[in-house]
């Protein structure tokens, strides 16, 4: 059950649309994500005055302008820090952090990993288009090796971040992936992220049709989606392929792609368990270049979830315990402190 705000609400998705002109490029994947968020939020039973969208810098970070809720367009890479502060003092608020791959994985990388381990009860949406779009197309920390951009005319030498594996390594309590071009799946992930008590992290593959058009096409197009994606669901076997003819088996801790047929049945396949940390770690590494032979399909869905105490709960309990023991403090005493320096001319 969700511990996030659950009061009755009467607003509609249309009432979440602001009077601001949307300044994303025509055809940008951000439009779809905005639409799915505006569709899902009214269903969640959160009073609109308790909803806050916080962003850093980047194309995606214009999101708060387009949501008729409270919000903040903060500074580069610091959305997590702003969100942490607000959640610490106003734990009843439903906070949604919107960030891009440059914003969260580069300048904000440190804030990202500490948000995961601290586990504030809020939602983080990573719009991953594998490029810096706002600054006209430099490679980002999630761009593939060899990426040719204006800043890497001979190809990027960097090894890319795998955001799902990074979140797992930072002890995130809810880790999921979706895509802009699958609105049904994306809405489902948003609902489940909200229902989770703790920091929910959803990586969303988002197409930048100007500076990195088609980078996720193999996962989103009808002609290739079934062969190249693995839609993971709790309690269900790992099946993929145009006619669901392929599956994933585990040989010890080694995953293997198998053909479902006479010698292998669906009952022999790996059954996904969102609460199995070891297996979540294995599947988070299904990150092969889809152009290579023998590659694994790219997983979408909830990789991992666990229940763990939230930082703001402990923080506020600690404050109350100290007040109970010592009484309310005085600001003047705090500012003066115990050690005072006297400055003489």
């Amino acid at each position: 059950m969700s511990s996030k705000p659950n009061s009755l609400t009467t607003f509609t998705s249309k009432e979440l649309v602001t009077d601001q002109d949307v300044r994303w490029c025509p055809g940008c994947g951000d439009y779809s994500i905005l639409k799915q968020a505006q569709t899902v939020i009214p269903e969640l039973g959160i009073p609109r005055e308790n909803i806050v969208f916080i962003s850093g810098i980047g194309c995606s970070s214009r999101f708060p302008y387009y949501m008729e809720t409270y919000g903040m367009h903060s500074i580069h890479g610091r959305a997590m820090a702003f969100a942490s502060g607000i959640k610490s003092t106003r734990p009843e608020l439903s906070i949604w952090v919107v960030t891009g791959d440059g914003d969260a994985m580069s300048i904000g990388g440190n804030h990202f990993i500490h948000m995961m381990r601290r586990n504030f009860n809020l939602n983080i949406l990573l719009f991953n288009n594998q490029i810096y779009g706002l600054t006209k197309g430099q490679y980002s920390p999630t761009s593939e090796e060899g990426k040719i951009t204006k800043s890497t005319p001979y190809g990027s030498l960097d090894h890319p971040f795998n955001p799902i594996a990074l979140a797992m390594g930072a002890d995130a309590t809810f880790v999921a992936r979706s895509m802009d071009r699958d609105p049904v799946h994306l809405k489902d992930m948003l609902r489940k992220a909200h229902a989770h008590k703790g920091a929910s992290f959803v990586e969303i593959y988002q197409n930048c049709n100007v500076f990195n058009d088609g980078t996720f096409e193999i996962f989103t197009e009808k002609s290739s989606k079934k062969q190249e994606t693995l839609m993971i669901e709790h309690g269900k076997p790992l099946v993929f392929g145009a006619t669901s003819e392929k599956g994933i088996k585990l040989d010890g801790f080694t995953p293997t792609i198998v053909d479902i047929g006479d010698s292998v049945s669906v009952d022999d396949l790996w059954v996904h368990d969102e609460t199995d940390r070891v297996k979540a770690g294995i599947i988070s590494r299904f990150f092969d270049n889809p152009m290579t032979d023998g590659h694994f399909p790219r997983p979408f869905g909830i990789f991992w979830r666990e229940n763990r105490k939230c930082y703001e709960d402990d923080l506020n309990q600690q404050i109350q315990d100290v007040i109970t023991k010592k009484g309310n403090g005085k600001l003047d005493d705090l500012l003066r402190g115990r050690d005072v320096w006297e400055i003489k001319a």
Side-chain angles (χ1 to χ4, degrees):
M1 295 293 289
S2 171
S3 66
K4 295 186 172 77
N6 195 32
S7 301
L8 293 177
T9 179
T10 57
F11 66 90
T12 66
S13 59
K14 290 183 179 179
E15 291 175 282
L16 286 179
V17 179
T18 70
D19 60 0
Q20 299 296 300
D21 292 332
V22 180
R23 296 183 178 179
W24 290 321
C25 302
C28 174
D30 288 356
Y31 285 96
S32 173
I33 303 171
L34 176 64
K35 175 62 178 176
Q36 309 327 319
Q38 289 174 331
T39 300
V40 167
I41 296 291
E43 303 172 0
L44 303 179
I46 313 167
R48 192 158 52 152
E49 65 272 20
N50 281 359
I51 303 171
V52 185
F53 277 81
I54 300 173
S55 64
I57 295 296
C59 294
S60 63
S61 292
R62 297 192 60 80
F63 206 89
Y65 295 122
Y66 311 137
M67 293 293 289
E68 191 64 49
T69 64
Y70 286 103
M72 179 183 294
H73 187 183
S74 68
I75 53 180
H76 207 181
R78 305 296 184 258
M80 309 288 176
F82 281 85
S84 300
I86 295 171
K87 193 66 180 179
S88 294
T89 54
R90 293 289 305 276
E92 78 278 14
L93 298 180
S94 176
I95 296 178
W96 299 73
V97 176
V98 175
T99 183
D101 44 300
D103 188 59
M105 299 285 104
S106 183
I107 192 169
N110 194 35
H111 294 278
F112 175 80
I113 60 175
H114 291 291
M115 174 64 82
M116 295 298 105
R117 74 176 176 85
R118 283 176 173 150
N119 196 38
F120 280 89
N121 186 22
L122 44 73
N123 312 289
I124 300 153
L125 309 181
L126 173 69
F127 294 18
N128 183 7
N129 55 21
Q130 298 189 173
I131 203 78
Y132 279 98
L134 186 66
T135 47
K136 308 295 187 285
Q138 298 85 9
Y139 77 105
S140 85
T142 59
S143 297
E144 68 274 21
E145 289 184 31
K147 185 70 177 178
I148 295 176
T149 70
K150 293 178 181 177
S151 59
T152 53
Y154 303 108
S156 167
L157 301 176
D158 281 359
H159 184 72
F161 261 138
N162 173 348
I164 295 293
L166 180 64
M168 289 291 302
D171 275 351
T173 60
F174 181 100
V175 181
R177 179 188 286 140
S178 191
M179 62 184 89
D180 58 1
R181 295 189 177 181
D182 190 337
V184 174
H185 187 265
L186 178 53
K187 284 186 285 191
D188 186 43
M189 291 300 102
L190 295 178
R191 294 186 187 100
K192 289 174 177 172
H194 166 76
H196 175 71
K197 180 176 171 57
S200 63
F201 170 64
V202 183
E203 179 190 19
I204 306 169
Y205 281 180
Q206 175 259 326
N207 190 51
C208 173
N209 59 324
V210 173
F211 296 107
N212 205 20
D213 192 25
T215 195
F216 299 122
E217 190 174 86
I218 197 167
F219 306 124
T220 58
E221 291 302 300
K222 186 176 181 180
S223 60
S224 55
K225 181 177 179 180
K226 287 188 175 180
Q227 292 94 328
E228 297 297 338
T229 64
L230 181 65
M231 309 308 288
I232 53 176
E233 295 182 66
H234 184 67
K236 294 189 177 180
L238 301 185
V239 175
F240 69 104
T243 58
S244 300
E245 77 281 10
K246 294 182 178 297
I248 308 291
K249 277 186 66 177
L250 270 181
D251 182 8
F253 293 111
T254 303
T256 307
I257 296 175
V258 295
D259 294 321
I260 301 172
D262 294 337
S263 60
V264 178
S265 74
V266 172
D267 293 337
D268 297 321
L269 301 180
W270 172 352
V271 175
H272 184 52
D273 182 351
E274 299 168 350
T275 65
D276 189 320
R277 181 185 292 276
V278 173
K279 291 181 179 177
I282 295 172
I283 204 169
S284 74
R285 292 294 179 177
F286 285 16
F287 198 61
D288 300 330
N289 182 334
M291 298 297 109
T292 59
D293 291 336
H295 64 274
F296 283 93
R298 191 66 58 90
F300 292 83
I302 301 172
F303 290 71
W304 165 247
R305 62 177 171 81
E306 70 168 331
N307 295 320
R308 177 152 59 83
K309 62 182 180 180
C310 296
Y311 186 93
E312 71 273 19
D313 292 339
D314 279 358
L315 172 65
N316 287 293
Q317 184 61 55
Q318 187 179 62
I319 291 171
Q320 289 304 312
D321 290 345
V322 173
I323 290 174
T324 300
K325 184 177 180 180
K326 295 187 174 182
N328 290 314
K330 295 180 180 178
L331 180 59
D332 191 53
D333 291 343
L334 176 65
L335 295 176
R336 287 179 180 278
R338 294 178 179 175
D339 299 320
V340 179
W341 292 358
E342 183 180 353
I343 301 175
K344 297 181 179 179

